Amino acid sequence: MLVTKNNKQTISVKFFLTLLFVMLISFTGCKKEFLPNIGSIPPSDLCLSGFVTPDSIFLVMSRSLPYNYPLDSSNHFLLKDTGVIWIEEDGIFFDTLQPKFKQLTNPDGSPTYTYYYTTNKKPTEGKSYHIYAQYPGFQQVEATVYLPHKVSILQVDTISFYKTEKILIDPSQIFGGSKDTLIHYLHGTVWFRDPAQEKNYYMFPLGSSIRQQPTMNFSIQFDDRDIDGRLVPLYFEVLYETGTELNIDFYTLNEEYFKYNSLWNHAPEISDYESIFYNYNNTIVTYSNTSNRVGMVAGYTKSVTKIFLP
């Protein structure tokens, strides 16, 4: 969910979230099963990751690293813009991607950056894109990405209401006592129709499951085995924030992206941030659709409905 009044801010947030996804793949799908030599970069594979959507293609090349490799400010897993990526659309040459550089700012004010590859040409729903990636010192990596047809939101029904909840009197004091407080919520039902007699995969960031009661801030994904061809309701609850715009996003995923999310959602919970970067020894198995099995390029379409909360 994204609530904002500023389109420029929205674009920046979307780019940061996309970058966050690509970086996440670098530490999951691009994991290697070995221990590094202290003071040196361990042997690695070329990790190709990113998105293909109707609006854009966004790809990043990085080196695979083990979870327990100590990353520092040199960003050893990132690769710069000396690689080459070209794409075929249904077997016909589509385009050679252009390298780009983007610098962003982390919430703590520190800079973060990435080199990525993109094109001004727009992909087409219902077509397959075969990607070829080359980078000096690595073997060529390939991936095939199907871009699914968009399944649109047909209607959104909403109702606002208040609930009494216990809120801490002093948020900094867990045992400092609480008080009953009226909280304003928005309850919504999103309707869509699943295309009949074809496999479809969906993600709804605001939703609970189809048969459960609404759940706050719980992203779900599901396939259409039990809803083929049906008109389907999805439910959500969010805090009602007066004077804001609520973007209701509904994603149609390709099968590879669905499998990747399914495996990642069932991975062991990681409670400590530093454990990923410095001392995480448990194995997480993730799905990969690249030729060397250490990367992930996702394809998806998105339907968006905007609601203004007066």
Side-chain angles (χ1 to χ4, degrees):
M1 185 206 34
L2 180 64
V3 178
T4 179
K5 293 182 179 179
N6 190 302
N7 289 335
K8 185 175 180 181
Q9 180 184 4
T10 302
I11 294 173
S12 178
V13 171
K14 286 182 177 179
F15 188 95
F16 187 84
L17 292 176
T18 301
L19 174 60
L20 183 62
F21 168 85
V22 173
M23 292 178 67
L24 176 63
I25 290 177
S26 298
F27 299 115
T28 57
C30 304
K31 187 181 79 66
K32 296 296 290 183
E33 301 279 354
F34 49 73
L35 297 176
N37 296 319
I38 300 301
S40 65
I41 299 178
S44 57
D45 292 315
L46 179 62
C47 178
L48 175 66
S49 54
F51 290 103
V52 175
T53 75
D55 296 325
S56 63
I57 295 176
F58 179 95
L59 298 174
V60 170
M61 286 191 285
S62 59
R63 68 172 71 248
S64 62
L65 291 175
Y67 277 116
N68 52 4
Y69 182 76
L71 299 181
D72 55 28
S73 59
S74 62
N75 285 317
H76 284 162
F77 74 97
L78 292 173
L79 294 175
K80 296 187 178 182
D81 56 354
T82 55
V84 177
I85 298 179
W86 71 97
I87 298 179
E88 294 177 351
E89 180 187 73
D90 285 348
I92 301 174
F93 177 78
F94 179 71
D95 201 9
T96 298
L97 274 58
Q98 300 300 312
K100 301 285 185 178
F101 171 80
K102 183 74 173 182
Q103 180 171 327
L104 301 170
T105 303
N106 291 318
D108 62 1
S110 62
T112 184
Y113 61 89
T114 187
Y115 294 92
Y116 64 99
Y117 295 78
T118 189
T119 175
N120 292 326
K121 298 187 67 174
K122 306 298 184 184
T124 302
E125 297 174 19
K127 291 185 177 292
S128 291
Y129 294 87
H130 194 80
I131 302 167
Y132 302 84
Q134 295 180 344
Y135 197 89
F138 295 90
Q139 292 186 345
Q140 177 174 295
V141 175
E142 301 179 20
T144 299
V145 182
Y146 174 73
L147 184 59
H149 291 281
K150 179 173 69 175
V151 177
S152 298
I153 295 173
L154 299 178
Q155 182 177 322
V156 179
D157 300 324
T158 60
I159 184 172
S160 65
F161 63 97
Y162 289 88
K163 284 197 299 189
T164 300
E165 297 185 357
K166 291 189 178 297
I167 304 297
L168 291 176
I169 296 174
D170 183 354
S172 65
Q173 301 294 325
I174 299 177
F175 302 105
S178 59
K179 62 180 179 180
D180 290 338
T181 305
L182 280 176
I183 306 296
H184 198 182
Y185 286 96
L186 181 73
H187 174 89
T189 304
V190 174
W191 296 89
F192 76 96
R193 183 174 294 280
D194 175 73
Q197 298 181 345
E198 62 180 58
K199 290 183 178 180
N200 293 288
Y201 307 90
Y202 303 110
M203 182 170 65
F204 185 51
L206 292 179
S208 68
S209 67
I210 297 173
R211 298 182 179 85
Q212 295 177 349
Q213 294 299 314
T215 304
M216 285 289 293
N217 299 326
F218 182 66
S219 177
I220 63 158
Q221 69 166 27
F222 54 96
D223 59 33
D224 65 348
R225 284 175 293 180
D226 298 327
I227 58 172
D228 184 61
R230 288 171 45 192
L231 182 66
V232 182
L234 297 171
Y235 310 101
F236 68 90
E237 275 184 13
V238 295
L239 289 174
Y240 192 107
E241 300 182 56
T242 300
T244 58
E245 186 178 81
L246 173 64
N247 283 2
I248 301 176
D249 299 335
F250 180 62
Y251 295 83
T252 305
L253 314 180
N254 66 1
E255 186 175 5
E256 288 77 15
Y257 194 13
F258 179 81
K259 289 179 178 179
Y260 174 85
N261 283 340
S262 297
L263 285 173
W264 177 247
N265 290 340
H266 289 87
E269 182 177 352
I270 302 171
S271 58
D272 180 21
Y273 172 84
E274 289 189 354
S275 68
I276 294 183
F277 298 101
Y278 300 106
N279 194 30
Y280 187 72
N281 295 314
N282 293 330
T283 297
I284 292 180
V285 179
T286 55
Y287 181 84
S288 172
N289 66 342
T290 61
S291 56
N292 61 353
R293 314 309 295 174
V294 292
M296 176 66 203
V297 183
Y300 71 84
T301 55
K302 181 172 68 171
S303 175
V304 181
T305 296
K306 296 183 179 182
I307 297 177
F308 182 75
L309 308 181

